Amino acid sequence: MSKMYYRELYCGTPARYWSGLALLGVIIAIGLGAAYYMEHNGHWVTGMSNQIVWGLPHVFAIFLIVAASGALNVASIGSVFGGPLYKPLGRYSGLLAIGLLAGGLMVLVLDLGRPDRLIVAMTEYNFKSIFAWNVILYTGFFAIVGIYLWTMIDRSVNKYNRTVGFAAFFWRIALTTGTGSIFGFLVAREAYDAAIMAPMFVIMSFSYGLAFFIITLIAAYIWGDRELGDFRLTKLKNLLGVFVGAVFYFTLAYNLTNLYITQHHGIERFILLDGGVYTQMFWIGQIFIGSIIPLFLIYSPAFEKSRWAIAAASVAVLIGGFFQIYVIVIGGQAYPMNLFPGKEVVESGFYDGQVMSYVPTLPEAALGVAGIAVALTMVAVGARVFKVFPETLED
Amino acid sequence: MSNKCDQPNMDRRKMIGGAIAATGAMTIAPGVILHAASVSDEASSGADAKHRWGMLIDSNKCADGCSACVDACNTEHGLKGHGRPATDAVWIRPVKLKDKQTGRENRLVMMCQHCEHPPCVDVCPTNASFKRVDGIVLVDRHRCIGCRYCMMACPYKARSFIHEALTEQSVNAPRGKGCVESCTLCVHRVDDGVMQTACQEACAEEGHAAILFGDLNDPNSEISKTLKSTNSVQIRADLELNTGVRYLNL
Ligand code: SF4
Ligand code: SF4
């Protein structure tokens, strides 16, 4: 095999690079402004309430954090499982993972009621809390993936690459397990109390992370006028197909278990049949856009070599994934908690027994989108400063 | 009776928790863990472990249309609405129920149930939610970061997030924008030796006497005696949280 040369990414002309970066900067600035507005006025200016306490920013944050772990897949396959085709892409995989996690965490932190107390969150730990564990898992992820990147880029420490690669692999599995367990531990709510949540989040991360990876890889090679071979892309595409199928399988298993358990029929009915917008998001967003369309684009012989189809499939996976998390996070809260089994709530001073509505507001969306912009900015700057992308990836 | 899937699956919690703990512990020096030593001890100063405070609510006596307890709680703690019911703080709320089978209607009030095993305390990342040694569950508002995880975890929807800046606060309850709060069992009164909550007092003044506050650990207290001689229930007893608030005639 010929030797790989890595080079900093110059996106055609400097103007092209800097204007791209400026655009991202504007998006981030708008997001920060939105966060300030929400913080300054208090959360009543958002769509969140005392019934729906986690809103659109959480959907973005969880989506990005889950994707971050998955983005590291390619590096893991390359150095842990020894896939030579994936190895040259390992550096970019690490960079993207760090970027996505940073974006997700920014959104999460800026949506806290007291973001100014971040230092409390970093110094006071309740070790029974999955959230506290996640703080450690997230910060650890930055450190481990940072070192991992170092072992990939610096030849003098390259001998540690495999060991660090293993550590990073286990760490990220723990990270997504932790993220899924945020929900899996909530016994009070019918939608969440399920052990399957953790593995489901792990597999979701594989799928979303790879989709992000493929899209941004194609974009970077177009921008940088570099060669990206079909063979490698087809491999990635096939892998994505497997992950999308696996997410579909877990969705099926999750819903079937709930259907088996009589007490959970209420929430199932709500999501699958009469939950209004959540039902639509489930069928149209999660199932049709997120599973069926990408599987068709990936496996249909008509699109065998089509780069367009690969990109479209990845975008569909991301859109579907976003809806999936929306349905889990918001749909799960909108469905009323069953406090009084066997009784019907005739009157309540606090919306007992009622499906709650949640309408996200513009500032929440702006903050969420800024999280994606943070991820892309880190990638753009990282790829420009470090030797991340191979000169060419022709077959 | 067994409502299997709604039981808190402690084994599972332990298993997942253990797996995560093991991974985390690899990199965290054991010394760091010491640092987390129980905060609730200091915050509980003044509380006495001999007591366990609780309430008993008689749903037969809770009168239709009455809001005396809710009003008293709001006044006592300076809770004011902003005309936006979905985001206003609610510490105590009336609920009217109808049995699907028998059609029998009752009314009761819901508030923080002061669980013996409070899920809100388990999930709170910063130890802001804590249980005093006398069983009262509180939020330390200097430590709360407003993540709302406790609200996700509380099975009774007992907690409110403060959605806007507050003015004219009551000295009885320091509160703050961006933090979470809930019924304190009138802890300021308890610590002053006044053994009557604001809601109980108002309910009695109205002539209903549906609320009884007292020490569950003291066999001679009125609440203990009533609990011993009657058939009270816990709401969502299947969760095994051993609540400090109990209900009669539900
Ligand atoms: S009722 Fe809710 S807020 Fe109160 S102690 Fe139990 S879990 Fe915590
Ligand atoms: S909102 Fe405050 S009290 Fe509730 S879990 Fe978060 S930090 Fe703890």
Side-chain angles (χ1 to χ4, degrees):
Chain A
M1 202 191 206
S2 64
K3 201 154 170 19
M4 270 295 162
Y5 288 102
Y6 295 87
R7 194 161 56 94
E8 294 87 346
L9 190 70
Y10 290 95
C11 306
T13 62
R16 198 146 101 187
Y17 180 77
W18 290 109
S19 54
L21 217 52
L23 178 68
L24 291 172
V26 170
I27 298 174
I28 295 172
I30 294 175
L32 292 178
Y36 175 76
Y37 168 75
M38 293 187 284
E39 222 286 295
H40 185 73
N41 289 286
H43 268 63
W44 71 275
V45 297
T46 69
M48 290 175 253
S49 64
N50 280 330
Q51 326 293 324
I52 307 270
V53 300
W54 286 353
L56 193 60
H58 289 80
V59 178
F60 272 101
I62 294 171
F63 181 63
L64 288 170
I65 291 169
V66 165
S69 151
L72 203 62
N73 259 334
V74 174
S76 293
I77 300 174
S79 52
V80 177
F81 303 109
L85 265 174
Y86 295 101
K87 208 156 177 144
L89 292 169
R91 299 179 181 187
Y92 177 55
S93 164
L95 176 64
L96 181 63
I98 288 184
L100 289 170
L101 186 66
L105 287 185
M106 181 198 78
V107 178
L108 198 64
V109 166
L110 289 181
D111 186 60
L112 291 176
R114 296 294 307 255
D116 53 315
R117 287 193 183 149
L118 192 59
I119 191 76
V120 176
M122 309 289 273
T123 51
E124 286 289 340
Y125 288 108
N126 167 17
F127 284 96
K128 249 186 142 179
S129 165
I130 282 289
F131 243 34
W133 279 110
N134 281 348
V135 174
I136 296 164
L137 289 169
Y138 297 157
T139 24
F141 188 81
F142 283 124
I144 291 190
V145 179
I147 298 172
Y148 190 24
L149 272 175
W150 181 33
T151 63
M152 286 191 257
I153 296 176
D154 185 346
R155 207 163 301 157
S156 66
V157 286
N158 189 257
K159 52 181 179 294
Y160 302 112
N161 175 263
R162 225 174 121 78
T163 322
V164 181
F166 263 111
F169 177 71
F170 287 114
W171 195 272
R172 77 192 183 81
I173 299 284
L175 183 136
T176 6
T177 306
T179 311
S181 303
I182 289 179
F183 298 98
F185 276 45
L186 298 172
V187 288
R189 291 177 191 259
E190 281 179 37
Y192 300 145
D193 179 23
I196 200 174
M197 279 291 181
M200 187 163 90
F201 268 68
V202 173
I203 205 70
M204 278 154 63
S205 86
F206 286 5
S207 172
Y208 309 167
L210 188 58
F212 254 117
F213 184 87
I214 294 176
I215 292 269
T216 50
L217 182 73
I218 295 179
Y221 274 71
I222 293 176
W223 266 40
D225 295 324
R226 296 190 193 179
E227 190 69 38
L228 178 60
D230 277 336
F231 182 56
R232 220 176 294 258
L233 216 46
T234 313
K235 279 270 179 205
L236 289 172
K237 170 181 104 161
N238 292 341
L239 192 61
L240 184 66
V242 174
F243 292 159
V244 172
V247 171
F248 187 70
Y249 165 77
F250 268 87
T251 308
L252 208 66
Y254 166 77
N255 286 294
L256 286 178
T257 347
N258 267 351
L259 280 174
Y260 179 73
I261 303 164
T262 318
Q263 291 90 335
H264 287 195
H265 283 181
I267 180 75
E268 276 307 303
R269 211 190 145 77
F270 181 69
I271 300 294
L272 302 182
L273 280 179
D274 53 17
V277 57
Y278 304 107
T279 305
Q280 285 165 14
M281 284 184 185
F282 178 81
W283 289 112
I284 302 174
Q286 185 180 331
I287 300 297
F288 187 66
I289 302 181
S291 302
I292 296 176
I293 292 188
L295 286 176
F296 176 71
L297 289 172
I298 291 170
Y299 289 115
S300 164
F303 302 117
E304 182 118 38
K305 285 245 151 60
S306 158
R307 217 160 261 220
W308 170 87
I310 300 178
S314 307
V315 172
V317 167
L318 291 179
I319 296 175
F322 189 81
F323 279 119
Q324 179 166 19
I325 296 198
Y326 196 100
V327 171
I328 292 176
V329 175
I330 317 241
Q333 293 175 82
Y335 186 73
M337 272 195 270
N338 188 11
L339 259 66
F340 312 99
K343 306 214 189 241
E344 176 191 329
V345 179
V346 185
E347 259 171 50
S348 162
F350 206 44
Y351 306 94
D352 289 289
Q354 287 177 34
V355 172
M356 281 309 294
S357 76
Y358 167 77
V359 184
T361 57
L362 205 56
E364 292 172 272
L367 174 59
V369 173
I372 299 179
V374 165
L376 296 180
T377 306
M378 290 188 66
V379 165
V381 174
R384 171 81 168 222
V385 176
F386 299 109
K387 295 183 162 95
V388 169
F389 284 110
E391 186 101 17
T392 167
L393 279 174
E394 63 198 356
D395 297 334
Chain B
M1 64 137 294
S2 94
N3 188 348
K4 200 159 175 293
C5 64
D6 278 347
Q7 296 281 341
N9 188 337
M10 297 298 176
D11 288 347
R12 184 213 312 160
R13 285 196 208 183
K14 273 189 213 127
M15 195 187 77
I16 303 178
I20 296 171
T23 328
M26 293 192 300
T27 49
I28 299 159
V32 181
I33 296 173
L34 286 179
H35 164 76
S38 168
V39 272
S40 43
D41 291 350
E42 54 186 272
S44 282
S45 61
D48 187 341
K50 282 209 299 280
H51 307 293
R52 165 130 202 247
W53 302 110
M55 276 212 266
L56 178 63
I57 292 152
D58 188 336
S59 107
N60 272 356
K61 293 185 185 164
C62 182
D64 225 354
C66 173
S67 65
C69 59
V70 178
D71 300 340
C73 177
N74 290 348
T75 315
E76 183 85 5
H77 303 105
L79 312 181
K80 274 187 284 296
H82 295 82
R84 297 184 287 266
T87 53
D88 285 341
V90 173
W91 288 17
I92 175 170
R93 64 185 193 269
V95 183
K96 191 168 167 184
L97 302 168
K98 182 175 172 183
D99 193 297
K100 284 186 193 149
Q101 204 69 55
T102 62
R104 175 173 180 265
E105 290 197 344
N106 342 55
R107 197 169 185 265
L108 51 84
V109 281
M110 285 293 299
M111 69 283 283
C112 169
Q113 305 284 301
H114 297 277
C115 312
E116 186 190 350
H117 309 291
C120 58
V121 174
D122 283 350
V123 303
C124 177
T126 60
N127 289 312
S129 287
F130 66 98
K131 188 180 70 164
R132 300 208 322 176
V133 289
D134 58 2
I136 299 181
V137 176
L138 297 173
V139 178
D140 179 340
R141 270 150 221 152
H142 298 291
R143 198 168 268 170
C144 173
I145 54 171
C147 67
R148 283 104 76 200
Y149 197 19
C150 56
M151 299 177 78
M152 294 290 281
C154 170
Y156 304 99
K157 276 208 311 186
R159 297 204 146 179
S160 296
F161 176 72
I162 300 311
H163 283 75
E164 55 266 290
L166 302 170
T167 50
E168 298 165 51
Q169 300 212 25
S170 157
V171 288
N172 297 330
R175 307 168 57 219
K177 178 176 105 178
C179 295
V180 165
E181 54 184 43
S182 53
C183 157
T184 62
L185 270 188
C186 279
V187 68
H188 59 286
R189 290 182 172 221
V190 174
D191 287 348
D192 278 349
V194 181
M195 291 307 142
Q196 197 179 39
T197 60
C199 54
Q200 175 189 23
E201 188 179 275
C203 185
E205 274 168 17
E206 240 6 69
H208 305 309
I211 301 175
L212 181 59
F213 169 82
D215 185 359
L216 302 171
N217 279 355
D218 174 4
N220 297 316
S221 66
E222 201 188 333
I223 190 169
S224 293
K225 287 194 216 147
T226 323
L227 282 169
K228 200 165 177 189
S229 59
T230 52
N231 205 359
S232 68
V233 295
Q234 302 177 39
I235 291 177
R236 294 263 355 226
D238 58 303
L239 296 177
E240 296 172 3
L241 304 176
N242 192 19
T243 56
V245 177
R246 306 290 171 105
Y247 291 83
L248 273 186
N249 299 312
L250 187 61

